[in-house]
Amino acid sequence: MQKLEGKIYSIFALSAILILLSNCSGERQEKIKEQRPNIVFIMSDDHASRAISCYDGTLNQTPNIDRIASEGAIFTNSFVGNSICGPSRATMITGKFSHKNGFLANYRSKFDGSQQTLPKLLKANGYNTAIVGKWHLGTTPTGFDYWNVFPDQGDYYNPDFIDNGDTVRLNGYATNLVTNLAINWLNEKRNPDQPFMLFVHHKAPHRNWMPDTAKLDMYDGHEFPLPFNFKGDFSDRGKASAEADMGIWKTMSWSHDMKFTDYPTEWEHYKPDGEWHAKRYPQVELGRMTSAQRALWDDYYESRNAEVKEGLKSGATSLEEHIQWRYQRYMHDYLATISSVDDNVGRLLDYLEANGLDDNTIVVYTSDQGFYLGENGWFDKRFMYEQTLRTPFVMKYPGQIKPGTKVDKFIMNIDYMPTLLSYAGVGVPQDIQGRSFHTLLNEQPVSDWRNSIYYHYYMFPGTHSVKRHFGVRNERYKLIRFYHDIDEWELYDLQEDPNELKNVYDDPNYQGIVAEMKEVLRANQEQYEDSYELAMDYLENNRW
Ligand code: SGN
Ligand code: CA
């Protein structure tokens, strides 16, 4: 009898505890729901980490991007799965590699907007969702309550925007305008009863690097040191590097890139611009300017260009000197566009603070990929080499991410979607290939994190002639296979050769490593369900 009584008491006590717990978890859930963070995801286009002062600091200063890192976290090993615009953006909003989300290459692919995406899942779970700026996925944005995006790549001056379907031209400089639209949506258009997710996607610092008139002389006279292998010696690399078309001399145009309205045709090294570039600069890029903008622009460039032309005409400037001058102009323009991006990051942060939104808002700054700033004599991206495999990523979330956090683990752009879903309290669907890295930011970071990353680039034949390739990178080594019109493997020992100039794939001393890295490649391809055979199938059936 006593025993039975005891049992009844314990069942009673247990139920009481359960009821208490369930009430508490109900309240807690409500609270979590109430406090679901807002998300401001700022992304620029082609921003190399080296051009952000919290990553490097030798080239330029970006105090506002740095502010996000110092108030939150900087990720020092952040990688993309396919270093090109559209594919990278598709990866971010699906949490899947290109072969799974179907967007393999700019232009050829069209994003299938009917699939599951980050904005759609957040919207379905009560978020108010918006995107302003660059979209570049070929099809109409889906999953956004509000979208106001550039057609295709967009323009730097007085750009067109597609405002929820209607094309409208706005006067001003693209980076400022995108931020105006963002602030305007926050102020007037969003639903204050919902948490929000806002994508602020800048055009800058994408080619052709047109600074705001207010920034034209900001780096005037500044001498940027030439980076490694500026002359482009690929004798110890392979054909893919040698045959790429992205050299500062070989590929950059006088007009579109170097900002000359006319150039020295009689000089022995004269290299004509392609027809498209020759027309685009005067007709579109300068053609869109107001006369006031144009006057400031000409005032800066024309006098300086005249000096360059004079030097070439008289023979006082050698080819080598001229190529170095081109690098200075490139860096000058590229970094000046970044200065505007940084100012505008500051404007948004200030807005959040001034409106009491900063405490409960996650702010991310990233880029769709990295960029070559003259390393190997290049600009552009696409290759799996470090400068473009990496992309900057800083994130703050007051109260959740400790200020000054530094994460060295390998994160990828497939992880952004599950990370943001986790912070928003939305379940991460099974088919997402990335993994939430909020666990790396906990007091006790998880220990079973990936120690290698996978990469696959498809856009060949295409602009800049970077051959198709896939590969893996771990802490010390990188293995790449270039395929299509070649079949070449490259292996780099990043500890001995951080600039990846000596391919040791055939070196007898590295045969054990080759075998190990092939196993890492096999395991990654198995995990992500990709393969050489699938890549061949895309090729043979002309599927991009
Ligand atoms: C344009 C650029 C290329 C650039 C691609 C892709 N040429 O075609 O240099 O690689 O965009 O860039 S330009 O003459 O138009 O400037 S991406 O960031 O959109 O992928
Ligand atoms: Ca890009």
Side-chain angles (χ1 to χ4, degrees):
M1 185 69 192
Q2 255 188 355
K3 252 190 182 173
L4 188 67
E5 246 175 41
K7 257 192 189 158
I8 289 169
Y9 276 129
S10 359
I11 290 169
F12 187 74
L14 195 69
S15 326
I17 289 169
L18 280 176
I19 289 166
L20 258 173
L21 271 179
S22 71
N23 272 347
C24 160
S25 83
E27 262 169 40
R28 207 171 144 253
Q29 266 167 3
E30 266 314 298
K31 205 145 192 213
I32 289 172
K33 218 171 165 187
E34 267 169 38
Q35 290 178 343
R36 283 185 303 171
N38 304 308
I39 299 165
V40 173
F41 188 90
I42 311 170
M43 179 162 68
S44 56
D45 194 354
D46 297 357
H47 195 168
S49 305
R50 198 154 80 81
I52 296 183
S53 41
C54 60
Y55 277 95
D56 186 310
T58 56
L59 279 180
N60 62 337
Q61 291 302 311
T62 50
N64 295 296
I65 298 171
D66 295 6
R67 215 165 119 192
I68 302 176
S70 62
E71 289 174 19
I74 182 167
F75 293 77
T76 59
N77 286 304
S78 152
F79 302 103
V80 296
N82 184 358
S83 183
I84 187 75
C85 189
S88 182
R89 288 159 201 262
T91 292
M92 289 178 196
I93 58 170
T94 59
K96 295 174 187 167
F97 279 97
S98 309
H99 64 282
K100 287 285 178 194
N101 66 46
F103 198 101
L104 280 81
N106 289 345
Y107 317 125
R108 285 294 196 110
S109 312
K110 289 257 176 278
F111 185 68
D112 170 9
S114 69
Q115 66 187 298
Q116 159 191 286
T117 62
L118 173 64
K120 277 191 185 175
L121 284 176
L122 288 178
K123 186 166 149 62
N125 284 278
Y127 269 74
N128 197 191
T129 57
I131 178 173
V132 292
K134 186 167 174 178
W135 168 246
H136 205 216
L137 287 176
T139 48
T140 302
T142 55
F144 299 96
D145 293 309
Y146 172 80
W147 53 276
N148 200 343
V149 298
F150 298 130
D152 196 37
Q153 295 273 11
D155 289 291
Y156 275 107
Y157 278 87
N158 313 322
D160 285 343
F161 283 88
I162 313 175
D163 180 351
N164 288 265
D166 300 325
T167 302
V168 182
R169 180 175 169 143
L170 296 183
N171 280 330
Y173 183 66
T175 311
N176 303 333
L177 293 171
V178 166
T179 311
N180 294 352
L181 291 175
I183 292 177
N184 188 258
W185 182 78
L186 290 169
N187 243 344
E188 292 170 15
K189 297 197 164 78
R190 75 184 172 94
N191 179 349
D193 298 331
Q194 288 177 284
F196 63 82
M197 181 214 75
L198 169 63
F199 284 177
V200 184
H201 290 187
H202 291 294
K203 173 183 175 65
H206 192 273
R207 192 181 178 191
N208 67 331
W209 321 294
M210 291 175 80
D212 187 354
T213 48
K215 302 270 182 187
L216 284 175
D217 60 0
M218 117 167 250
Y219 292 105
D220 209 25
H222 192 96
E223 187 81 14
F224 296 98
L226 299 179
F228 73 82
N229 196 24
F230 183 68
K231 288 195 171 164
D233 174 358
F234 300 118
S235 46
D236 287 330
R237 247 190 197 176
K239 269 206 205 101
S241 288
E243 291 180 13
D245 180 18
M246 46 202 233
I248 286 166
W249 168 241
K250 186 179 160 198
T251 319
M252 276 189 184
S253 60
W254 284 101
S255 50
H256 178 67
D257 299 307
M258 290 290 111
K259 283 95 179 177
F260 282 68
T261 43
D262 68 313
Y263 40 92
T265 50
E266 60 280 272
W267 181 45
E268 72 173 294
H269 297 296
Y270 165 64
K271 176 179 144 294
D273 280 2
E275 207 183 316
W276 191 80
H277 282 141
K279 275 197 190 142
R280 187 164 169 88
Y281 184 59
Q283 290 179 7
V284 182
E285 284 143 6
L286 297 181
R288 295 189 75 89
M289 288 183 174
T290 62
S291 50
Q293 290 165 338
R294 181 68 195 267
L296 291 166
W297 187 268
D298 285 349
D299 191 45
Y300 180 79
Y301 286 107
E302 289 301 315
S303 57
R304 285 159 183 82
N305 292 356
E307 266 178 48
V308 173
K309 285 188 281 191
E310 193 41 49
L312 292 171
K313 228 185 213 172
S314 67
T317 309
S318 67
L319 174 60
E320 190 164 340
E321 281 164 344
H322 178 61
I323 296 171
Q324 292 184 8
W325 176 85
R326 283 188 161 225
Y327 179 64
Q328 300 304 327
R329 162 95 15 125
Y330 166 39
M331 293 307 286
H332 169 281
D333 290 354
Y334 179 84
L335 294 173
T337 70
I338 287 173
S339 174
S340 290
V341 171
D342 189 69
D343 289 353
N344 279 285
V345 168
R347 272 179 74 204
L348 259 182
L349 294 177
D350 291 348
Y351 174 89
L352 295 174
E353 262 177 45
N355 289 278
L357 289 166
D358 56 321
D359 272 352
N360 196 34
T361 300
I362 295 174
V363 181
V364 169
Y365 182 85
T366 186
S367 168
D368 58 347
Q369 10 70 203
F371 213 64
Y372 293 100
L373 303 181
E375 299 89 353
N376 304 306
W378 288 340
F379 65 102
D380 213 65
K381 50 257 180 178
R382 302 160 195 270
F383 275 113
M384 199 193 159
Y385 302 122
E386 290 294 279
Q387 292 69 33
T388 48
L389 174 62
R390 289 173 177 277
T391 200
F393 195 94
V394 293
M395 172 163 77
K396 75 183 191 92
Y397 182 7
Q400 297 285 328
I401 302 175
K402 216 164 124 213
T405 302
K406 184 164 156 283
V407 179
D408 295 329
K409 296 263 190 266
F410 289 2
I411 63 156
M412 295 201 70
N413 54 352
I414 49 172
D415 301 329
Y416 305 169
M417 174 167 172
T419 303
L420 295 174
L421 287 176
S422 304
Y423 277 129
V426 177
V428 178
Q430 282 293 318
D431 62 344
I432 283 180
Q433 294 186 305
R435 182 172 169 194
S436 171
F437 50 74
H438 78 277
T439 50
L440 297 176
L441 297 158
N442 292 346
E443 285 285 315
Q444 297 286 322
V446 290
S447 52
D448 67 325
W449 194 254
R450 71 166 72 87
N451 48 27
S452 64
I453 55 116
Y454 182 62
Y455 184 86
H456 198 154
Y457 173 81
Y458 301 84
M459 208 173 150
F460 183 88
T463 326
H464 301 302
S465 295
V466 174
K467 296 182 194 299
R468 294 181 186 220
H469 57 292
F470 55 74
V472 280
R473 184 207 196 277
N474 66 12
E475 211 182 318
R476 175 152 179 193
Y477 301 102
K478 185 183 291 179
L479 179 73
I480 314 175
R481 181 177 189 176
F482 289 94
Y483 67 93
H484 183 234
D485 63 343
I486 56 170
D487 190 2
E488 277 188 8
W489 291 81
E490 294 182 8
L491 176 76
Y492 295 98
D493 181 338
L494 300 168
Q495 189 175 299
E496 298 297 316
D497 175 28
N499 296 335
E500 303 162 284
L501 291 170
K502 187 154 183 43
N503 174 17
V504 291
Y505 182 78
D506 290 321
D507 184 329
N509 296 325
Y510 280 91
Q511 291 319 295
I513 303 296
V514 167
E516 268 175 40
M517 290 307 284
K518 281 195 171 169
E519 176 49 27
V520 174
L521 176 63
R522 193 206 56 72
N524 270 274
Q525 289 197 323
E526 184 179 288
Q527 180 183 353
Y528 298 122
E529 299 177 325
D530 195 14
S531 64
Y532 180 70
E533 289 68 34
L534 185 63
M536 284 299 130
D537 183 57
Y538 281 128
L539 255 177
E540 276 151 25
N541 295 304
N542 203 22
R543 296 197 287 143
W544 285 63

